[in-house]
């Protein structure tokens, strides 16, 4: 029985160490973040466009509100 006590103490310490390390995310790799290419302030953006093949969608900001200018500048209303 005296031989078993040091082994049990060592096993309990190893389990406690593993539990602590896993709770601190020690075994997980941190995701790599991509470096920032461009830093732009929200106030500096007046319009932007998205091109997908032949389709072009363009948005412009007027008086603090965004509106779609392409493919159609007219407003659509719901039909009831």
């Amino acid at each position: 029985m005296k031989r078993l006590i040091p082994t049990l103490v060592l096993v309990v310490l190893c389990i406690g160490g593993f539990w602590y390390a896993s709770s601190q995310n020690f075994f997980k790799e941190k995701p790599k973040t991509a470096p920032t290419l461009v830093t732009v302030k929200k106030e500096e953006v007046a319009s932007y466009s998205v091109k997908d093949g032949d389709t072009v969608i363009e948005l412009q900001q007027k008086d603090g509100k965004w509106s779609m200018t392409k493919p159609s500048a007219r407003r659509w209303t719901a039909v009831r």
Side-chain angles (χ1 to χ4, degrees), residues 3-57:
R3 290 180 164 179
L4 188 60
I5 292 175
T7 304
L8 289 175
V9 169
L10 187 60
V11 167
V12 169
L13 284 175
C14 287
I15 290 173
F18 181 77
W19 173 78
Y20 177 76
S22 64
S23 70
Q24 300 298 319
N25 294 330
F26 184 76
F27 299 113
K28 295 181 182 178
E29 292 184 16
K30 294 180 182 177
K32 296 180 181 177
T33 57
T36 304
L37 298 177
V38 178
T39 303
V40 180
K41 293 181 182 178
K42 186 170 108 174
E43 297 82 24
E44 295 176 353
V45 178
S47 68
Y48 66 92
S49 61
V50 178
K51 297 177 184 178
D52 183 28
D54 294 338
T55 307
V56 177
I57 299 172

